[in-house]
Amino acid sequence: MMNNKVSTKQSQSAVQKAFKVLDIIVSSGTPVSLSELSTKTKLAKPSVHRVLQQLEGIGVIEQNIGNSQYVVGRNAHRLAFNILSATSMRAGVRDVMESLVQNVKESCNLSMLCENEAIYVDRVECDWPLRVHYKVGSRVPLHATGAGKLLLAYLPPDKRSRMIDNLTLKKYTENTITNPEQLRAECDDIVKASLSMHSEEFHYGEIGIAVPVKKTDGSFIAALSIHAPIFRLSLSSVKVNEPMLRIAAEKIGLLLS
């Protein structure tokens, strides 16, 4: 019996250490070194190193390409995505999104930050035969989409700045923001307006609008967005749907609170 108690205490301690290390890697937004993890967790480097090896062995974290820093691994992304999707469905979020799509007649996405991209954790398609095709689990760039820019903008300022410094600002179209300072300025405007828009920045012919989803305590959760082909809606006409989008975002925030 004594051995079982000791084993349980040791196991709990190992789990707690692993959670501390993983939590810091997930929340940092940028690759983290062994030294940084040791300092932030207040654990000895050999202890942190053992935890890192174990987490890396199951694919929850991985070493960043080109250096010995650590980032979130694919298995952690998959687990987080499955949890978020299940929560979304269970909370009735999809019902709200379906109602929104019926009103605006365009596709709707619920997006969250996943490392350095936006990931669609839920999506409802419109009925138009011609539409932009994405699916749940699709990832889109932070700097070139309405939802992505909003997710970036609502990061804590220091974390947002680090993220922008580490983003590859790939040019997808002539409208894509590829200048870090311009992206920083746009993020400031997004937070002030509580609204993000994109106009042919990721794909030619696609426009969209995104608003924040917040809990009842005001904390940011996700981005709720709609997008449409430009031959069907102009940027000004898609903005007409902003009030309905905000109402839906508020309902989802209540459900997820």
Side-chain angles (χ1 to χ4, degrees):
M1 182 68 70
M2 179 67 73
N3 288 338
N4 286 339
K5 287 183 178 179
V6 172
S7 176
T8 300
K9 287 181 179 179
Q10 289 174 338
S11 175
Q12 289 174 344
S13 177
V15 169
Q16 289 168 348
K17 289 177 182 178
F19 184 82
K20 281 183 180 180
V21 170
L22 183 59
D23 186 42
I24 290 170
I25 293 173
V26 170
S27 61
S28 67
T30 56
V32 188
S33 68
L34 172 61
S35 296
E36 289 176 304
L37 289 167
S38 178
T39 300
K40 291 180 179 180
T41 59
K42 298 180 180 179
L43 297 172
K45 286 185 180 180
S47 180
V48 175
H49 187 256
R50 284 194 296 272
V51 171
L52 290 170
Q53 286 182 316
Q54 292 168 346
L55 293 175
E56 190 174 6
I58 59 175
V60 174
I61 64 168
E62 58 190 43
Q63 285 199 41
N64 198 32
I65 297 174
N67 57 43
S68 57
Q69 295 176 315
Y70 293 87
V71 296
V72 178
R74 290 191 176 276
N75 283 345
H77 289 157
R78 180 174 53 79
L79 177 61
F81 169 70
N82 288 340
I83 291 171
L84 291 170
S85 296
T87 301
S88 171
M89 296 296 289
R90 190 165 57 246
V93 172
R94 190 169 183 84
D95 292 339
V96 176
M97 294 175 65
E98 287 176 347
S99 177
L100 176 65
V101 171
Q102 287 176 2
N103 289 324
V104 303
K105 310 301 181 186
E106 298 296 345
S107 299
C108 170
N109 307 298
L110 183 67
S111 311
M112 292 186 176
L113 188 67
C114 183
E115 201 175 11
N116 60 349
E117 295 175 300
I119 185 170
Y120 293 156
V121 297
D122 210 345
R123 173 174 171 82
V124 176
E125 294 273 7
C126 62
D127 290 332
W128 293 105
L130 293 176
R131 58 182 183 265
V132 182
H133 287 277
Y134 294 106
K135 60 182 180 180
V136 173
S138 291
R139 299 182 183 217
V140 296
L142 295 179
H143 69 293
T145 58
K149 288 187 293 184
L150 189 135
L151 292 169
L152 183 62
Y154 272 86
L155 287 172
D158 58 337
K159 186 174 180 180
R160 181 211 301 168
S161 183
R162 291 198 305 271
M163 179 74 82
I164 291 174
D165 287 339
N166 286 276
L167 281 178
T168 300
L169 302 181
K170 179 180 177 180
K171 185 174 183 177
Y172 294 97
T173 74
E174 291 300 318
N175 294 343
T176 307
I177 297 175
T178 57
N179 181 287
E181 294 311 312
Q182 184 182 350
L183 184 56
R184 284 187 170 89
E186 175 133 351
C187 284
D188 289 337
D189 291 341
I190 287 170
V191 173
K192 288 176 185 176
S194 187
L195 177 74
S196 176
M197 304 181 75
H198 75 275
S199 178
E200 299 187 278
E201 295 168 44
F202 185 32
H203 297 301
Y204 285 112
E206 178 187 300
I207 59 172
I209 182 173
V211 299
V213 176
K214 297 181 179 180
K215 291 184 179 180
T216 51
D217 63 4
S219 59
F220 178 78
I221 311 173
L224 184 67
S225 62
I226 56 174
H227 57 74
I230 201 165
F231 66 79
R232 196 159 59 230
L233 282 179
S234 66
L235 201 58
S236 58
S237 59
V238 77
K239 197 173 184 297
V240 172
N241 295 307
E242 179 187 344
M244 287 186 287
L245 194 61
R246 290 196 185 279
I247 290 171
E250 184 177 356
K251 289 179 180 179
I252 292 173
L254 287 170
L255 288 167
L256 295 181
S257 292

